[in-house]
Amino acid sequence: MSDVQLMAEINLKALEQLLGRFGLCVSLVADGAAIPGTYWGEPEAGLITDTLYIRRDTPVHSALHEAGHWICMDEARRAGLHTDAGGTVLEECAVNYVQILLAEQLEGVGRKRMLDDMNAWGYSYREGSVQAWLKGDAADARAWLVERNMLTHDEQLITQS
């Protein structure tokens, strides 16, 4: 496994508060226990309806990515959500963008760490690095989020009620 930040290294209460603003619950499962709803397998985060499942060894980027899926989907998809978030290619790009914005709101994580971890883990883009993607094709992801009233023009996530 690449040297990426793990959930054990961040403030889980801060994560719960941040994601709670979007209606997403966080459930920490015991070390070594199966992670419900993980699409990529353990230690990756899992999603089932309104709950994000993590372990202490879950990469932070994985938890924030799955949270991004939750934020980007409508209520109908959320209600039936179990393991596979689905969505379009453009939505997946928006999810990547959201996870970076979420990282900026978590003390001890931040944008630089998230970008470094995404690169280390192998997120791939036509432009190469995540940093290059943000300067290029990410404009489509930003536009997708703005069109759906999920992001302000000054890059602030909008909490849906």
Side-chain angles (χ1 to χ4, degrees):
M1 179 184 294
S2 299
D3 184 27
V4 297
Q5 190 173 39
L6 303 178
M7 296 308 303
E9 301 171 54
I10 72 164
N11 181 332
L12 294 179
K13 287 290 182 201
L15 177 71
E16 289 172 350
Q17 289 174 345
L18 174 61
L19 300 182
R21 294 189 343 230
F22 297 93
L24 184 59
C25 301
V26 177
S27 179
L28 179 66
V29 300
D31 292 351
I35 299 176
T38 181
Y39 181 80
W40 295 106
E42 297 162 5
E44 299 293 317
L47 268 178
I48 300 175
T49 59
D50 68 347
T51 304
L52 174 72
Y53 293 92
I54 57 170
R55 277 192 324 220
R56 292 171 32 83
D57 64 339
T58 296
V60 174
H61 72 83
S62 173
L64 295 184
H65 185 85
E66 295 306 316
H69 273 295
W70 168 263
I71 291 167
C72 288
M73 63 177 63
D74 62 25
E75 290 299 324
R77 283 181 49 212
R78 287 176 179 173
L81 178 60
H82 195 301
T83 308
D84 187 354
T88 65
V89 171
L90 187 52
E91 181 179 325
E92 184 70 27
C93 291
V95 166
N96 291 344
Y97 200 83
V98 167
Q99 84 184 74
I100 294 165
L101 296 176
L102 291 172
E104 290 175 339
Q105 297 181 51
L106 283 174
E107 185 178 338
V109 184
R111 178 180 281 243
K112 182 182 181 328
R113 180 62 193 246
M114 183 55 52
L115 298 180
D116 290 346
D117 285 2
M118 291 169 76
N119 285 325
W121 201 256
Y123 287 66
S124 62
Y125 302 93
R126 186 173 33 217
E127 297 92 337
S129 70
V130 183
Q131 291 86 341
W133 171 73
L134 283 170
K135 293 177 184 174
D137 280 350
D140 286 346
R142 281 190 299 275
W144 189 94
L145 291 163
V146 169
E147 287 169 11
R148 285 158 182 77
N149 199 34
M150 296 177 181
L151 185 69
T152 64
H153 288 284
D154 63 346
E155 303 287 303
Q156 300 299 310
L157 283 172
I158 297 171
T159 304
Q160 305 294 315
S161 43

